[in-house]
Amino acid sequence: MTRHKTDPDMQNDRDEFTAISAVLTGYSKAELHATGCGEDYWHQFRQVTPEPILHEFLSHAVALEKTFANDPEVGASEVRRIYLSSDRLGPLARSLIQLWYLGQWVPLSQDWCRKYGVSRFNVSKIISTRAYKEGLVWDAIGAHPVGAKPQGYGAWAMEPPRRRV
Amino acid sequence: MTKDKNIERDRAELGALLQKALMLELSTIPPYATACYSIKEQGQYDRSSPEIVNAEPIEVIRQVMVEEMLHMVLVANLMNAIGCRPVVNDPKQLPSYPMPILDGKGPVLHLRRFTPDQIKCFREVERAPKDPASDAHADYETIGGFYLYVLGKLEKACADHEEQKIFVGDAARQIDPGDYYGAGGDVIAVHNLATARTAIKEIMDEGEGAALGQRACDNDLIPAPEGEDRWDIAHFFKFDEILHSRYYLPTDRLGEPPSGGDLVVDWTAVWPMKDDPNAADYTGLPEVQELSDRFNRSYSELLDGLNATFNGDKPALARVVPVMFSLKDQAQHLMRVPLTGKGRGTTAGPLWRYVPTTKS
């Protein structure tokens, strides 16, 4: 695991990680905390990301959060400009989004690793049983995790919840 | 004419008492559910999976909770049997915490995480009347005593008037085993004094155990891991089991500690939910407020659905079952969200507040 010298308890990094996760997933920070998976995801993300890139990745969090609060459209275009179109940060951002939605780490490509650094933790895996159950995808599509969180007899006959657009 | 007036007065008095019973049963559910859901790592009831922390206390509290739900249904049946309307979504009557029960003569109910103090409080809630004969008066100090008092009033009303003039309710409003599944014992449709007695006896038997011949439990078995026996003991003793980290055996005597197998409890594997959270704790935290509001809306949807169920719309019961599951999920979500400011170090929790919904 990479050691981070600048912030021994890493609380700031942790907060920035939650903030940028909220920006990238479209869920609030409270909703991300509510999954109970944040700590594990932060751990996984740190393990696969070389330190300088991690710092670059997190450095935009606070500003982007504000931009989003003021004007979501400007925020979205900033996310595209800074993250999604970047050869370096784009693949990381996409894997992070999938991590929150699926509870699963989707490995960075060999190309990316050759350029920016290899981690032995960069392998495909479901982070935990809770990560599977708490994937944002279930809420986003108005469904529930198959085989977990039962809804009661006959629930299949009812309209799915429409909480998210 | 005077006699009719008397019978209506008696009916109204019984209705008011039973309405109080309905609220009493309801008021125990949020504290039980909150403590149960605050435990980390919800697991299946399976002792062969040691990585699942606290599966056993979760199961024990869950069993008590579903029995309280059954008791609500039984009380609603009693009310409908005598032609009174059960109400479960009147904000003026709904519990708010902390809340003293039995007009201040019982313990104070709190919304707290799973701690020994909270389980001791639950055990107090389920304490049996010391002397059933004397507790049947208006100065009852236990829930069991309160039900004895209600039963006494009902018997007197039947003796003063005719039984069939008391039990005038619409039989179609009775929730029966065909409407209810998977939870905490048998639903009893109430049509006369005999079935009313059975219903009240079931509530009391599950709540406390003094009527079981000085033993902690009867010999009813409940589902348990293969190769092990579990007896369906009264709530008081279920909470006692958690506090002693040990199961009761049917041979255990009242007043003696349990002597059965280990019941593994880890008091540390619990989300640090703030005690008795209230709306003010979420001021300035709009994201938490939003989660809390969602929870309250679901809780209100549940209460509205139950109200409809008890007042003629029985299919509403099946519709609110998914809401109950969703409340569990949402409560667990809230308890993982750290609070900032003066709540630092604790997490949010469900408020269990009724907000009028537009739906019904």
Side-chain angles (χ1 to χ4, degrees):
Chain A
M1 194 183 110
T2 329
R3 286 255 170 251
H4 299 266
K5 299 164 217 111
T6 43
D7 181 15
D9 63 358
M10 289 183 290
Q11 188 54 49
N12 284 339
D13 288 358
R14 173 80 173 79
D15 289 347
E16 284 172 0
F17 175 74
T18 310
I20 196 62
S21 293
V23 165
L24 289 171
T25 58
Y27 279 80
S28 75
K29 289 194 280 188
E31 285 171 316
L32 297 185
H33 283 304
T35 64
C37 298
E39 204 58 47
D40 289 346
Y41 293 170
W42 170 227
H43 186 64
Q44 169 69 18
F45 195 72
R46 244 166 38 213
Q47 282 182 323
V48 296
T49 313
E51 188 175 349
I53 299 184
L54 180 68
H55 277 287
E56 187 189 353
F57 194 92
L58 299 178
S59 65
H60 304 286
V62 176
L64 262 183
E65 203 184 11
K66 281 189 191 129
T67 313
F68 251 98
N70 290 336
D71 187 343
E73 263 184 48
V74 178
S77 78
E78 283 292 279
V79 165
R80 261 183 241 113
R81 185 179 67 79
I82 299 170
Y83 288 96
L84 299 183
S85 64
S86 156
D87 178 46
R88 199 169 51 255
L89 302 185
L92 268 176
R94 289 185 172 85
S95 279
L96 180 59
I97 293 169
Q98 291 177 90
L99 183 61
W100 281 106
Y101 272 80
L102 305 176
Q104 180 180 354
W105 181 252
V106 178
L108 300 156
S109 70
Q110 286 193 2
D111 263 5
W112 193 93
C113 293
R114 252 197 305 275
K115 270 193 193 155
Y116 303 113
V118 186
S119 161
R120 66 188 174 90
F121 298 102
N122 183 37
V123 288
S124 176
K125 65 168 175 186
I126 306 267
I127 302 298
S128 65
T129 50
R130 183 190 287 161
Y132 165 71
K133 287 189 253 183
E134 298 293 345
L136 300 177
V137 64
W138 307 117
D139 179 74
I141 64 174
H144 73 288
V146 183
K149 294 193 186 178
Q151 306 168 93
Y153 179 81
W156 47 86
M158 294 170 204
E159 214 177 314
R162 256 190 244 155
R163 193 162 291 154
R164 317 290 305 186
V165 186
Chain B
M1 219 38 219
T2 2
K3 202 151 191 206
D4 279 359
K5 220 189 234 166
N6 285 343
I7 201 169
E8 285 321 311
R9 194 199 57 212
D10 286 355
R11 190 189 313 287
E13 189 189 5
L14 278 169
L17 279 171
L18 287 167
Q19 177 64 30
K20 204 166 137 187
L22 193 62
M23 286 299 116
L24 184 59
E25 297 293 350
L26 175 64
S27 64
T28 62
I29 293 173
Y32 290 170
T34 302
C36 185
Y37 299 159
S38 73
I39 302 175
K40 283 184 185 175
E41 301 306 329
Q42 301 282 318
Q44 298 299 308
Y45 187 41
D46 182 1
R47 288 188 76 193
S48 64
S49 307
E51 75 274 13
I52 294 170
V53 183
N54 279 333
E56 294 172 306
I58 289 171
E59 176 58 18
V60 168
I61 302 176
R62 194 197 65 83
Q63 283 167 10
V64 174
M65 202 161 61
V66 295
E67 287 179 4
E68 301 300 348
M69 297 176 192
L70 172 68
H71 297 173
M72 278 186 74
V73 173
L74 291 174
V75 173
N77 274 355
L78 284 161
M79 292 183 79
N80 274 320
I82 61 169
C84 296
R85 288 175 62 89
V87 179
V88 291
N89 60 354
D90 175 7
K92 288 198 288 296
Q93 296 182 44
L94 287 168
S96 72
Y97 305 91
M99 180 187 144
I101 59 170
L102 299 169
D103 305 321
K105 287 176 283 189
V108 178
L109 287 175
H110 291 274
L111 293 176
R112 287 188 296 208
R113 61 186 183 276
F114 179 70
T115 63
D117 276 351
Q118 183 69 333
I119 299 301
K120 278 178 196 158
C121 170
F122 292 171
R123 190 178 60 175
E124 218 41 51
V125 170
E126 305 287 352
R127 184 176 285 284
K130 277 193 211 82
D131 173 7
S134 75
D135 239 341
H137 305 297
D139 53 350
Y140 46 78
E141 287 172 4
T142 63
I143 297 182
F146 171 61
Y147 276 108
L148 283 171
Y149 176 69
V150 175
L151 182 60
K153 285 272 173 196
L154 184 63
E155 281 169 340
K156 184 167 184 310
C158 287
D160 287 354
H161 317 287
E162 283 163 66
E163 191 178 331
Q164 63 265 40
K165 283 190 180 157
I166 295 293
F167 290 92
V168 294
D170 178 1
R173 291 193 166 211
Q174 293 294 314
I175 311 288
D176 60 42
D179 306 307
Y180 189 87
Y181 69 92
D186 298 327
V187 178
I188 296 150
V190 179
H191 304 294
N192 50 33
L193 186 56
T195 42
R197 274 201 197 101
T198 314
I200 292 180
K201 187 177 178 306
E202 175 156 338
I203 296 175
M204 292 184 56
D205 279 357
E206 288 186 342
E208 17 94 356
L212 298 173
Q214 291 302 305
R215 285 199 316 256
C217 54
D218 54 19
N219 283 312
D220 289 350
L221 284 167
I222 54 172
E226 209 170 327
E228 293 182 37
D229 286 331
R230 290 269 182 282
W231 287 271
D232 187 11
I233 61 170
H235 297 176
F236 178 88
F237 299 100
K238 284 188 174 166
F239 292 129
D240 217 34
E241 287 180 331
I242 295 177
L243 290 166
H244 283 97
S245 289
R246 190 163 297 289
Y247 286 104
Y248 273 102
L249 291 177
T251 46
D252 287 338
R253 308 286 299 175
L254 274 187
E256 287 171 19
S259 66
D262 288 346
L263 187 161
V264 183
V265 180
D266 180 353
W267 298 101
T268 63
V270 175
W271 293 99
M273 189 196 91
K274 188 181 175 299
D275 287 349
D276 289 316
N278 62 67
D281 295 323
Y282 307 151
T283 311
L285 304 170
E287 293 179 353
V288 182
Q289 246 163 12
E290 168 63 28
L291 292 181
S292 173
D293 289 349
R294 259 185 234 166
F295 178 92
N296 287 337
R297 282 198 295 274
S298 295
Y299 180 54
S300 310
E301 196 185 330
L302 169 64
L303 294 179
D304 287 342
L306 288 177
N307 203 65
T309 304
F310 296 153
N311 287 284
D313 180 14
K314 290 206 288 185
L317 187 57
R319 290 199 297 271
V320 295
V321 171
V323 183
M324 297 186 211
F325 281 106
S326 141
L327 281 173
K328 170 182 170 181
D329 199 36
Q330 294 188 58
Q332 290 175 336
H333 279 184
L334 274 164
M335 289 185 224
R336 294 169 187 160
V337 182
L339 290 177
T340 50
K342 64 176 164 48
R344 187 170 288 282
T346 62
T347 61
L351 303 184
W352 304 93
R353 303 298 300 187
Y354 181 83
V355 286
T357 50
T358 44
K359 250 178 148 182
S360 49

